[in-house]
Amino acid sequence: MRGCVPPGPSRTTSAGVAFLVAGLVVSVAAGILRGRTMPMWRDAGGRLYRKGGRVTLLLWLATVFVKLGARRDRGSGVR
């Protein structure tokens, strides 16, 4: 199994759990906001469509940047 486990602490820490929960909360909130910006409709045949716009794209990019920034900040601690 060597190489299958990513490097990092071998035990669960409260900071790690808090970071995970915060990431999940940010993801759910961003997903709800993005979902509200995408109208959905059905055509005459019953096929479902959705369309995102500029706001949807900006919210998605903001989510990516927040997560990348949080990852960078987390990795900059003293070990």
Side-chain angles (χ1 to χ4, degrees):
M1 285 282 173
R2 186 177 180 123
C4 292
V5 179
S10 60
R11 59 185 160 72
T12 303
T13 63
S14 58
V17 172
F19 191 77
L20 175 66
V21 170
L24 291 172
V25 168
V26 167
S27 294
V28 168
I32 290 170
L33 288 173
R34 283 193 319 266
R36 293 180 58 100
T37 66
M38 292 189 293
M40 298 179 74
W41 69 94
R42 290 190 185 273
D43 65 4
R47 187 170 178 169
L48 186 62
Y49 291 92
R50 69 176 179 200
K51 181 179 180 181
R54 182 178 297 150
V55 174
T56 307
L57 177 62
L58 292 175
L59 286 169
W60 181 79
L61 288 172
T63 303
V64 171
F65 287 126
V66 165
K67 287 189 168 199
L68 289 176
R71 177 174 288 187
R72 189 188 75 186
D73 289 343
R74 181 174 182 234
S76 65
V78 177
R79 294 181 187 202

